Amino acid sequence: MTATRSIPTVKLLINGEFVESTTSEWRDVINPATQEVLARVPFATQDEMNAAVASAKAAFKTWRKTPIGARARIFLKYQQLIRENMKELAAILTAEQGKTLPDAEGDVFRGLEVVEHAAGIGNLQLGELANNVAGGVDTYTLLQPLGVCAGITPFNFPAMIPLWMFPMAIATGNTFVLKPSEQDPMVTMRLAELALQAGIPPGVLNVIHGGAEAVNLICDHPDIKAVSFVGSTKVGTHVYNRASQNGKRAQCMMGAKNHAIVLPDAHKQQTLNNLVGSAFGAAGQRCMALPVVILVGEAQAWLPELVEKAKTLKVNAGCEPGTDVGPVVSCAALERINGLIERGVQEGAELLLDGRHPQVAGYQDGNFVGPTIFSAVSTDMTIYKEEIFGPVLCVLQAATMDEAIAIINANPNGNGTALFTRSGAAARHFQEEIDVGQVGINVPIPVPVPTFSFTGSRGSKLGDLGPYGKQVVQFYTQTKTVTQRWFDEDEVGGPVNTTITLK
């Protein structure tokens, strides 16, 4: 008789304790390559979510006064622990999300860079001082924490995006309530364990799980002062509007339809390698992927070679060595991607490479779709207008770079774009004329390092300030301006001053 395998449950983190939820609503965390149930994640009750916020509010009273050096040392320790546990974190991520192991390590590493940045908070959270703005008067500013902040993170980067959020919020003196994606919360919880091990005090970091009710509670709760969101445009717009209406700060990084322009003078093989990697890496499940390429002039002749290079990519489970394209995150995602590919065929696009229904030995139940390439795509087609979020590349053609720029600027989204060229003049013209937040010149995925801020624009972003970098320090702090004058003990008082002018 075979014993039934006990399925572990994902815990809540409230006031420094990992606790079992009392909810009756659960969701399975499923390995997308095998359909194995890895764990069960709770949709937290209202009382549990309120307890998490209350814990954060109580902890803020002392955490906000913790010396800045003590906060920095916690994140120095935290980055060390992440490095020491990199392989384990990547393995968890691959199992629940589907990424290849190298891509999973990259996911963790890009979050680790923000943790390292948070350790320098002593330099990042400096105010300003002006001496003698008037006779004997000085003015200075303080960047003080807001209070309880919250973050809502997506399934596609379950390590990186949480690490974009809570380290900078906590380093600046706030406390935090995190709601990770219910599809793959396990690596996030392991990161939370390491955060406590690094010395984050009870209540400073709390983690809840759930769906729409959890999102709405974060947007509505009067004790939450700021909300950070990364995910779909539909949910992000809801979060921004609801949180803003409730008087909260909000930053929402949302949908994308990124484009690359290829000029005929570009380095051919490097460009083709970059296009294939950025379009099909992570199974296309990146908000900064390149799902659209515009071939200009003579570069249109490169299309057959692009297709042949895409054919060489290996589709397999992310844990298997040599895998280039792993499974997409869920059966629903697979069905949607396959449906959009069929829609492209029906609308008249030319399907040069069909990645549907690949045969993957040993993983016949996996959510696999291989590299897919369409040509003869027009901007009124569904496959161009919608964010497919899968390994599907749409190829457009243009006679000139300005024609290609006009296509990009007409798209409602402005997350990222790239130009491939050897011409400095063309590159400068491109960066000046393009209306997109993040621009790559011979760089296919121009995500900035943490010393700069993530700067998506137009329909890809709501809110003035982006995650990490200098902007996020502004987002998580409020400026207090102090104007002061001290009188000498023997100073003789002057006449009564009925104006507000300082002299």
Side-chain angles (χ1 to χ4, degrees):
M1 183 175 179
T2 304
T4 303
R5 183 177 71 91
S6 176
I7 299 174
T9 56
V10 179
K11 306 300 188 288
L12 307 171
L13 174 57
I14 301 174
N15 198 32
E17 299 289 334
F18 292 95
V19 298
E20 191 79 63
S21 176
T22 61
T23 186
S24 59
E25 186 177 357
W26 297 78
R27 175 172 176 156
D28 291 340
V29 180
I30 297 173
N31 184 321
T34 64
Q35 307 307 318
E36 175 192 2
V37 177
L38 302 174
R40 299 174 68 233
V41 60
F43 279 35
T45 66
Q46 287 286 323
D47 286 346
E48 289 166 344
M49 292 188 287
N50 285 327
V53 178
S55 170
K57 183 180 181 181
F60 178 67
K61 296 176 182 178
T62 54
W63 179 247
R64 66 188 299 268
K65 297 180 179 179
T66 301
I68 203 165
R71 283 184 258 147
R73 283 189 289 275
I74 288 174
F75 288 100
L76 285 171
K77 178 64 174 177
Y78 190 35
Q79 65 86 23
Q80 175 190 349
L81 290 172
I82 292 174
R83 287 183 182 278
E84 291 173 353
N85 292 274
M86 179 74 76
K87 296 295 184 183
E88 178 200 357
L89 291 165
I92 296 170
L93 199 160
T94 292
E96 64 178 344
Q97 201 275 342
K99 291 185 180 184
T100 66
L101 284 169
D103 198 23
E105 288 196 27
D107 188 327
V108 178
F109 181 77
R110 290 309 302 265
L112 170 63
E113 290 181 315
V114 178
V115 175
E116 293 172 337
H117 194 59
I121 196 62
N123 290 323
L124 298 173
Q125 203 172 346
L126 295 175
E128 299 174 316
L129 183 143
N131 183 234
N132 285 323
V133 295
V137 178
D138 303 325
T139 297
Y140 58 92
T141 61
L142 309 173
L143 299 182
Q144 296 188 320
L146 302 174
V148 181
C149 301
I152 302 164
T153 62
F155 77 84
N156 58 326
F157 284 94
M160 182 183 78
I161 303 297
L163 292 176
W164 279 10
M165 292 184 184
F166 74 79
M168 292 304 298
I170 290 172
T172 50
N174 301 284
T175 55
F176 206 81
V177 176
L178 176 66
K179 194 210 85 67
S181 170
E182 64 275 15
Q183 295 188 77
D184 47 12
M186 295 168 63
V187 69
T188 309
M189 296 309 297
R190 182 67 180 120
L191 287 168
E193 291 175 3
L194 295 176
L196 297 190
Q197 188 177 335
I200 290 179
V204 172
L205 173 63
N206 302 270
V207 184
I208 61 175
H209 304 289
E213 287 188 4
V215 170
N216 288 338
L217 180 134
I218 286 172
C219 295
D220 295 344
H221 201 292
D223 291 331
I224 292 177
K225 306 303 181 184
V227 180
S228 183
F229 170 89
V230 176
S232 71
T233 297
K234 180 179 179 181
V235 179
T237 302
H238 169 78
V239 167
Y240 184 82
N241 290 338
R242 190 158 180 161
S244 299
Q245 289 167 3
N246 286 316
K248 306 180 192 307
R249 293 186 183 183
Q251 57 171 214
C252 296
M253 312 307 296
M254 307 182 301
K257 196 72 176 183
N258 306 319
H259 300 66
I261 296 176
V262 179
L263 298 186
D265 70 339
H267 189 294
K268 187 175 185 179
Q269 291 307 315
Q270 289 289 352
T271 299
L272 292 175
N273 287 340
N274 281 321
L275 292 177
V276 169
S278 58
F280 306 124
Q285 298 175 121
R286 297 173 176 146
C287 68
M288 287 296 292
L290 280 178
V292 181
V293 59
I294 306 174
L295 302 177
V296 175
E298 295 174 0
Q300 296 169 20
W302 299 4
L303 184 53
E305 291 177 71
L306 177 64
V307 173
E308 291 303 312
K309 193 169 286 289
K311 287 180 180 178
T312 66
L313 298 183
K314 181 180 178 182
V315 179
N316 207 339
C319 60
E320 297 291 345
T323 299
D324 297 303
V325 181
V328 295
V329 71
S330 66
C331 294
L334 178 63
E335 183 178 355
R336 180 178 181 276
I337 293 165
N338 285 340
L340 284 167
I341 294 171
E342 180 58 31
R343 184 74 175 270
V345 173
Q346 293 173 358
E347 293 183 358
E350 185 178 354
L351 186 56
L352 300 181
L353 181 60
D354 189 350
R356 291 174 291 181
H357 313 300
Q359 300 302 307
V360 181
Y363 297 95
Q364 63 274 10
D365 295 326
N367 306 322
F368 295 103
V369 56
T372 299
I373 298 178
F374 279 104
S375 67
V377 177
S378 63
T379 57
D380 60 349
M381 290 181 177
T382 304
I383 56 172
Y384 175 80
K385 292 189 293 184
E386 291 199 18
E387 186 176 21
I388 300 175
F389 229 60
V392 180
L393 177 63
C394 296
V395 180
L396 282 69
Q397 298 179 341
T400 66
M401 182 173 69
D402 282 334
E403 181 184 330
I405 289 173
I407 292 172
I408 298 173
N409 286 347
N411 191 280
N413 294 304
N415 207 36
T417 188
L419 173 72
F420 292 92
T421 183
R422 299 190 197 194
S423 168
R428 192 176 191 284
H429 179 73
F430 176 74
Q431 72 180 41
E432 287 292 314
E433 298 300 322
I434 205 71
D435 184 17
V436 173
Q438 289 157 144
V439 178
I441 308 296
N442 299 314
V443 175
I445 303 178
V447 178
V449 296
T451 46
F452 296 87
S453 296
F454 194 93
T455 53
S457 62
R458 294 192 284 144
S460 296
K461 177 184 177 182
L462 289 172
D464 297 330
L465 301 172
Y468 66 79
K470 293 179 180 178
Q471 290 186 15
V472 86
V473 175
Q474 293 177 269
F475 180 75
Y476 284 127
T477 61
Q478 54 192 346
T479 302
K480 181 180 289 184
T481 304
V482 180
T483 302
Q484 66 175 14
R485 168 187 280 163
W486 296 98
F487 298 102
D488 293 334
E489 292 295 328
D490 58 353
E491 186 171 341
V492 178
V496 174
N497 187 358
T498 61
T499 73
I500 59 171
T501 302
L502 296 174
K503 297 181 180 180

